[in-house]
Amino acid sequence: MNNILYITGAGVSSESGIPTFRGEDGFWTIGSKNYTPMEMATRAMYESNPEQFLSWYYNRFATYRNHGPNEVHHWLSDKNLITQNIDGLDGKAGNKNYIAIHGRLDQMTLFHHQGDDVQTMQTPWDDVNEDNLIPSLLNVFNIDSKTKRPILNESFKPYVLLFDEFYTELYRISEAQERMHNADKIIFMGTSFSVNITQMALRTAVNNGIPIEVVDPQPIELPYSNVTYHKMKASKYIQLI
């Protein structure tokens, strides 16, 4: 069994001090004063209210941008890996060809129609002045100063897949699907199976008879017989094997 595909979620980065998405202190369980996370983390919100969106995104994500990888990220550095995390810690640990299927915190793109061929670029987070946060963010992402709205193909957008967006080649979706189909085994680490990419991988495994392992202290019971559960954190798992 030479081709093992690892698919990781927020639980892997929790030991680097980054809150999980759906835990008590998670990104999706903490909203703003006016909006739930499901409303905030959308393309529609970015288009209509970039001030709220960028402020939320900065405080919920960018404030963790200097955190470092933990032992699990380092262990995965030479593995066939798809991560749902946008924190970039797998890259910091040295993995040269992992797929960040939901984007990268340290990068941005032109604000474009989904599916357009655009390049990623580094987000100049260090140019953000926290004492003057919103105007500084609007400047970094080149939001129109009069309308306070992003301009198509002129403004920038965080390189992150939002709830009302779909997987495109920008996020290497075809390559991710190919890796799933070619896998001899798929190992899920620290994920709640509540996003499309994990459901896609699960369907692929079921259809192709690919064995699955789930590494999580409280794993979700999957509707598939060929599953091995490891009820532990990923850090404990890598020590045991």
Side-chain angles (χ1 to χ4, degrees):
M1 193 168 290
N2 298 318
N3 188 13
I4 299 176
L5 173 63
Y6 294 84
I7 299 180
T8 61
V12 167
S13 291
S14 64
E15 292 186 64
S16 288
I18 300 177
T20 59
F21 291 132
R22 290 172 174 82
E24 292 182 358
D25 57 352
F27 296 124
W28 304 138
T29 58
I30 302 173
S32 72
K33 293 181 180 178
N34 302 312
Y35 303 101
T36 68
M38 290 291 287
E39 294 170 320
M40 183 63 73
T42 62
R43 183 183 181 92
M45 180 60 72
Y46 184 62
E47 290 179 321
S48 64
N49 197 336
E51 292 184 352
Q52 283 268 4
F53 177 95
L54 290 171
S55 177
W56 173 82
Y57 185 78
Y58 184 85
N59 286 299
R60 292 287 178 262
F61 293 95
T63 52
Y64 297 97
R65 66 189 181 276
N66 293 321
H67 285 225
N70 60 53
E71 60 183 331
V72 180
H73 296 112
H74 287 292
W75 186 83
L76 290 165
S77 64
D78 61 350
K79 305 295 192 295
N80 182 15
L81 173 65
I82 298 172
T83 186
Q84 302 164 64
N85 301 328
I86 68 169
D87 50 46
L89 295 184
D90 293 290
K92 290 182 179 180
N95 195 310
K96 302 298 184 183
N97 196 33
Y98 77 101
I99 296 177
I101 198 67
H102 292 152
R104 287 265 300 269
L105 172 62
D106 61 341
Q107 296 178 1
M108 63 184 185
T109 68
L110 277 176
F111 179 54
H112 62 284
H113 288 300
Q114 293 181 80
D116 287 353
D117 185 14
V118 295
Q119 301 298 312
T120 61
M121 61 197 84
Q122 292 298 116
T123 304
W125 288 121
D126 291 341
D127 292 347
V128 174
N129 180 358
E130 292 188 352
D131 294 329
N132 197 27
L133 183 61
I134 290 178
S136 182
L137 287 169
L138 295 180
N139 182 63
V140 164
F141 286 90
N142 197 30
I143 304 300
D144 186 86
S145 59
K146 294 181 180 179
T147 65
K148 296 294 193 293
R149 299 288 187 274
I151 301 174
L152 196 68
N153 297 322
E154 291 187 23
S155 299
F156 301 108
K157 173 188 173 289
Y159 176 42
V160 59
L161 186 73
L162 299 170
F163 281 122
D164 56 350
E165 295 183 317
F166 51 86
Y167 294 114
T168 66
E169 294 312 312
L170 177 63
Y171 298 95
R172 298 167 66 185
I173 184 59
S174 292
E175 184 181 350
Q177 291 173 316
E178 183 178 3
R179 292 192 188 192
M180 294 173 196
H181 283 284
N182 292 336
D184 296 319
K185 179 192 288 187
I186 300 177
I187 299 179
F188 296 90
M189 289 182 165
T191 179
S192 63
F193 286 89
S194 55
V195 297
N196 287 338
I197 198 68
T198 50
Q199 295 302 313
M200 190 183 301
L202 179 58
R203 286 195 302 271
T204 301
V206 172
N207 291 338
N208 296 343
I210 301 170
I212 285 176
E213 293 187 20
V214 178
V215 181
D216 195 276
Q218 297 177 307
I220 300 295
E221 190 76 21
L222 298 176
Y224 184 42
S225 60
N226 199 359
V227 183
T228 302
Y229 296 95
H230 305 277
K231 297 183 180 181
M232 61 188 71
K233 291 183 177 181
S235 57
K236 177 70 174 297
Y237 173 81
I238 66 171
Q239 293 171 2
L240 292 177
I241 66 171

